[in-house]
Amino acid sequence: MQLAEDISKGILGAGRASDPCVMVIFGASGDLTKRKLIPALYNLAKDNLLSKDFALVGFARNELSSEQFRDEIGKEIGEFATTTIDPELWSWFSSRIYYLSGDFSAPSAYQELVELLAKIDKEHGTRGNYFYYLATAPSFFGPIVTQLGAAGLVSEDHCWRRVIIEKPFGHDYESAIALNKEIRKVLEEKQIYRIDHYLGKETVQNILVFRFANGIFEPIWNRRYIDHVQITVAETVGVEQRGTYYEKAGTLRDMVPNHIFQLISLTAMEPPVSFDADVVRDEQAKILKALSPMTDEEVLTRTVRGQYGEGAEGAHRVPGYRSEPYVAADSRTETFVAMKLFIDNWRWADVPFYLRTGKRLPQRSTRIVIQFKRAPFVLFRKTAVDKLEPNRLILHLQPDEGIKLSFGAKIPGPVVQIGEVNMNFNYTDYFNATPQTGYERLLYDCMLGDATLFQRSDMVETAWHVVAPILDVWEALPPRRFPNYAAGSWGPHEADEMLTKDHRHWSND
Ligand code: BG6
């Protein structure tokens, strides 16, 4: 009962405007601000979900005045907005944008910030409520929080103060623990919002609604009926201009302990008793804790890494990873990962979760495939059990958002033959929602103080703990033949073999 109420109120959105507040973006000159954050705030304003007493401060090293920053953003909003810009609303919004240039580690810059925020509080009635969005290089996360603390900018006295931290949160288990320790010297856990943009996606949020607002799936959502689960996050793009970051990160760090583990935990978690932030996150954390870290031997047999070589994207030839900008000519960084994981609990014991993700694959597609067990016994003449396709439920998260259920049906005719057919639901056929950036919900929730869709410290640390043995073994045993897949293919053949050995195959359709 409580859950149903929470779903109708919480998950679908309560719809009240956020509290009066100021958002300070550190690293405001970067792409994220103009491409996502400003368009998302504009969409919230358009939907009356942003307080009338809202203001924004961009903070970065570039020397700019507030007017110049406003002008720049104003010129670009047309390109990045997901909706047509209403000049009146934009003029209201842009009159609340400020800019401060400064060095992230200089205490004097934070004194200027204190003064600017006090002035904004007076002019815009923002009541001392501030949230800081750290869209900087990760090496600044700790120092910025420390400086905010020293300047008294995170103390909550009749107001709230929150910090949103972008990924990557640490680059391994130890550094994630160290970063948590560093920021916890200044902030309480409830002030920290570790963001994972996958949780801002409608279709990712819909996993919970699909599972827990419908009665028919939960009884079969377990090892008794499910043969295995596949999670694919495939991208057609290469590393683009992000070689410097990617060379250090690689696909495993970039995608697995964050985005993909979010998808696993939402797919596999037990029903929470409410949608309170900690109740939901407790259930997610239990799944992460049940993902037992692999032994060295298991890393060798249950993981596959790859790097793209030259190939094609559609009709165009594209270079291999080693020829991309800012990438070493003999790079050993992986651009593809596949692995088999198990969740050690009663619901999922022995059910493999196969994951794969990579750059320069043939389609952009993020999907979760739930493959059910085959029918145990076939009554139909001349139909072998192994010829029957098992039922598959596919949650397409992007780009074609929808849900598909496949099942066997009789092909019309005097001879009994069974074919596979699909029941399809496409979001676009049913809901006429304005396109969003994916950051609206996350910013809105932070302004309301709802951390459900953000990562708690234990979740981040546990996720790194699970991938730690893989990082260690891969580092100790460098890949022998990189590049090992052509751009535009589905990754190294070992990824297919991993499933073939288990008498299964990836679902690519
Ligand atoms: C980012 C990764 O977090 O997610 C990128 O750093 C990746 O490498 C991106 O391309 C994928 O996000 P989306 O929303 O396009 O699936």
Side-chain angles (χ1 to χ4, degrees), residues 167 197-198 201 235 242 254-255 259 359 364 398:
K167 90 173 237 291
H197 81 278
Y198 262 53
K201 294 178 191 284
E235 298 187 272
R242 300 167 70 221
D254 188 44
M255 298 296 289
H259 307 324
K359 304 258 182 217
R364 170 162 157 78
Q398 58 186 21

Side-chain angles (χ1 to χ4, degrees), residues 7 30 140 195 200 223 236 257 311 352 357 390 399 469:
I7 286 178
F140 290 114
I195 200 165
R223 65 194 298 274
T236 50
T357 180

Side-chain angles (χ1 to χ4, degrees), residues 182-487:
E182 190 176 358
I183 61 177
R184 285 299 305 276
K185 281 187 195 145
V186 176
L187 299 167
E188 285 182 48
E189 180 63 31
K190 72 172 176 48
Q191 293 178 285
I192 308 171
Y193 289 69
R194 297 173 193 81
I195 200 165
D196 182 318
H197 81 278
Y198 262 53
L199 290 175
K201 294 178 191 284
E202 286 290 343
T203 43
V204 173
Q205 292 162 21
N206 189 46
I207 298 171
L208 286 186
V209 175
F210 177 79
R211 287 191 55 201
F212 302 134
N214 296 296
I216 59 172
F217 299 107
E218 205 41 31
I220 54 170
W221 209 258
N222 56 49
R223 65 194 298 274
R224 201 160 160 213
Y225 297 96
I226 293 178
D227 176 70
H228 72 278
V229 176
Q230 293 181 15
I231 297 183
T232 297
V233 181
E235 298 187 272
T236 50
V237 291
V239 71
E240 300 174 295
Q241 297 301 314
R242 300 167 70 221
T244 314
Y245 156 75
Y246 216 79
E247 279 285 270
K248 284 201 213 114
T251 300
L252 179 60
R253 287 188 170 91
D254 188 44
M255 298 296 289
V256 177
N258 29 65
H259 307 324
I260 296 194
F261 280 9
Q262 296 300 338
L263 301 181
I264 294 192
S265 66
L266 294 173
T267 306
M269 69 194 257
E270 294 300 313
V273 292
S274 79
F275 269 108
D276 283 348
D278 275 327
V279 176
V280 174
R281 296 189 297 177
D282 282 346
E283 294 304 339
Q284 285 183 277
K286 280 186 210 160
I287 291 296
L288 298 176
K289 284 175 191 147
L291 285 172
S292 49
M294 294 183 200
T295 61
D296 292 357
E297 180 61 30
E298 285 166 346
V299 173
L300 298 177
T301 54
R302 289 211 227 134
T303 69
V304 174
R305 57 186 148 162
Q307 186 193 75
Y308 62 86
E310 199 194 333
E313 189 197 347
H316 307 285
R317 294 300 298 168
V318 290
Y321 176 71
R322 289 177 174 181
S323 309
E324 300 278 19
Y326 316 112
V327 170
D330 58 351
S331 171
R332 291 166 166 177
T333 303
E334 80 283 356
T335 61
F336 175 97
V337 172
M339 69 180 72
K340 175 161 76 166
L341 289 174
F342 289 95
I343 299 174
D344 290 336
N345 67 14
W346 273 57
R347 188 189 281 264
W348 295 113
D350 302 325
V351 177
F353 279 66
Y354 298 100
L355 324 177
R356 78 181 154 162
T357 180
K359 304 258 182 217
R360 286 275 186 237
L361 300 184
Q363 313 168 355
R364 170 162 157 78
S365 169
T366 302
R367 68 174 77 166
I368 301 173
V369 179
I370 313 289
Q371 177 145 334
F372 291 93
K373 293 191 169 165
R374 280 176 203 284
F377 172 71
V378 169
L379 294 168
F380 305 103
R381 259 180 307 148
K382 298 193 185 137
T383 315
V385 176
D386 59 4
K387 294 268 157 37
L388 278 184
E389 280 298 326
N391 297 110
R392 246 188 271 134
L393 177 73
I394 306 185
L395 308 180
H396 284 279
L397 306 183
Q398 58 186 21
D400 303 318
E401 304 171 335
I403 296 173
K404 185 161 104 179
L405 178 67
S406 70
F407 55 93
K410 181 178 176 300
I411 300 173
V415 180
V416 176
Q417 279 184 303
I418 298 175
E420 195 190 13
V421 293
N422 294 311
M423 238 155 53
N424 249 329
F425 150 71
N426 289 319
Y427 263 78
T428 47
D429 296 344
Y430 285 82
F431 303 114
N432 231 342
T434 335
Q436 305 266 300
T437 63
Y439 279 76
E440 289 80 356
R441 171 79 193 269
L442 298 171
L443 295 178
Y444 178 64
D445 280 1
C446 177
M447 289 185 263
L448 292 186
D450 182 346
T452 312
L453 296 178
F454 293 84
Q455 301 305 288
R456 232 170 31 191
S457 57
D458 58 328
M459 297 164 77
V460 175
E461 290 173 12
T462 309
W464 279 119
H465 183 61
V466 174
V467 297
I470 309 176
L471 289 169
D472 290 348
V473 172
W474 284 6
E475 198 180 312
L477 297 175
R480 270 176 296 167
R481 40 165 217 104
F482 268 9
N484 60 353
Y485 71 97

Side-chain angles (χ1 to χ4, degrees), residues 24 26 110 113 132 134 143-155 162-163 186-187:
V24 181
F26 284 86
Y110 292 80
L113 183 59
Y132 309 97
L134 310 196
I144 291 175
V145 170
T146 307
Q147 294 286 352
L148 285 171
L153 282 169
V154 292
S155 351
R162 296 169 190 146
V163 181
V186 176
L187 299 167

